[in-house]
Amino acid sequence: MGWKTLDDMELNRKRVLVRVDINVPVANGVVTDDTRIQRIMPTVRDILAANGKPILLAHFGRPKGERVAEMSLRQLVPALETAFGTPVRFADDCVGAEAEAAAASLGAGEVLLLENTRFHTEETKNSVPLAQGMAKLGDVYCNDAFSAAHRAHSSTEALARLLPACAGRLMQQELSALEAALGAPNRPVTAVVGGAKVSTKLDLLGNLIEKVDYLVIGGGMANTFLVAKGIDVGKSLAEHAMTDTAAEILNKAESTGCTIILPRDIVVAEAFEANAPHQVLPADQCPADAMILDAGPESVAAVSEVLENSQTLIWNGPLGAFELTPFDAATNAAALKAAELTRDGKLTSVAGGGDTVAALNASGAAADFSYISTAGGAFLEWMEGKALPGVAALVR
């Protein structure tokens, strides 16, 4: 593991600089979805319970070093106070005299929110001087923003090296789940990878075929693999320029012992729209004037059989055009099967990525997965086998 948690730190009367992700949607100055605020509550609660003083560091939007009023974190104070049930003070900067005075006067049971770190252009350049200014505000550094861990920024990387550092509860939960999925998983391991383009997930596929036993490929990217096998996919979304790469991945999988699962049957339609007239055909019989919008029931049965024979699942991307009824059927069925196996204690299931979270929520399967990451880019880079600067900085 190599990284410490809040349980390893002396927090009594300590000022704890907590890097959080509270980049929440706001309309007319009001938070419309507080999910990310809810997810940092365990960390804030535990610091307060240990008589520590939480000081929150966060970015909001992309102000590019300018003080943009609508990107001020001040507007989040009411939502934070409601969630935490405790006073939240605000400092108009994340460094400097005002921030230092606010940090020094922070009382027991209070939380301090610092202004948007990205109001400083140096933040995204991982400036050490900026991090040193932040370090003056606290005694301990806690990173609870896995979603920003793939960025080497002052508040995620440089600052972690200047103070005693640990992972917050959300970061701890995320890293533990990912370790269980790919670090030291129970085998067999299956990965489900969907989405539109092979080109955006080359690193991911290259890493997974060396680490998993089964790789299920769905969505538009599956069409590119079908083309690589000499199958005509009609008007379907496919990256014809990537077929040689797809063929290389298929060949490499054979040498690593990874079994790739492609659609056996397909659901095709002539129009990309909800409830378009459609039919189920063998994967090699797509009409020239039709497009593949989902995997068929035989494909779902094959995926379900693989899941039943697996102990660990990692999922990124839908199996079809899940945003259109009825072309969400394969994604929903496979997700519900994974949820059932997880609920029965037969499968450890970890999923992440924007479309993935939306698809699993829509299917009703999300609640039964072992862990669902909302981290987007960080989750994908971790799946690709890349080192995440914000995590690496916690390892001492």
Side-chain angles (χ1 to χ4, degrees), residues 222-237:
N223 301 335
T224 303
F225 280 86
L226 293 177
V227 173
K229 297 185 75 170
I231 294 172
D232 191 342
V233 296
K235 297 193 302 181
S236 306
L237 173 67

Side-chain angles (χ1 to χ4, degrees), residues 293-335:
L293 295 182
D294 200 10
E298 281 187 34
S299 302
V300 172
V303 172
S304 296
E305 183 179 352
V306 166
L307 294 178
E308 286 175 350
N309 293 323
S310 300
Q311 290 196 57
T312 303
L313 167 67
I314 182 163
W315 187 316
N316 175 258
L319 298 179
F322 78 98
E323 65 271 39
L324 303 176
T325 307
F327 309 111
D328 55 353
T331 300
N332 291 348

